[in-house]
Amino acid sequence: MPTLTPSSPPAPLAGWTVTIAPDRAYFEENAIDGIEFPADGGSRTVPLPPPQVRIGRRSTSKGTNPEIDLADDDPGVSHSHALLTLSVDGVWLVSDVGSTNGTYINDGQQPLTAGQSRALADGDRVHVGAWTTLTLHAPPRP
């Protein structure tokens, strides 16, 4: 009888990523009283692991622990703000989950309504909170 040896898991394939950054233009268009734009806000790029990625602010008391945690980045982001979901067709969708300040796509003037979803493409921008913009990046093509 052959002996089975455990194999290493395959290396993960490079997938979709999102760059999270403060956006002064978005902030100025949607200024929230009493909130100032951050002086030292930098950007970061993180992977989007399927099938879902929650956007919000961590809160022990509310039991929220989103994959994209903006608790230290943007006070205008709701604890449960938005959800990114990879569809069976391989398209990322964004849904607002009842946020206070809305979820906007690209240069849209109207936020998504609670529960409404929109398909996203490479380069699309999702605006949340007082100044945060998340820009989606498709994986490189072989």
Side-chain angles (χ1 to χ4, degrees), residues 57-118:
R57 289 187 300 128
R58 171 187 65 259
S59 170
T60 304
S61 64
K62 294 185 184 222
T64 59
N65 192 23
E67 289 79 17
I68 296 179
D69 179 9
L70 300 172
D72 296 330
D73 300 311
D74 189 335
V77 173
S78 298
H79 286 96
S80 292
H81 197 104
L83 182 66
L84 294 168
T85 306
L86 186 62
S87 74
V88 294
D89 299 329
V91 174
W92 281 97
L93 306 171
V94 64
S95 306
D96 186 281
V97 293
S99 68
T100 301
N101 293 317
T103 301
Y104 296 81
I105 311 302
N106 295 322
D107 296 322
Q109 299 299 308
Q110 295 297 316
L112 297 175
T113 58
Q116 180 183 10
S117 294
R118 277 271 307 271

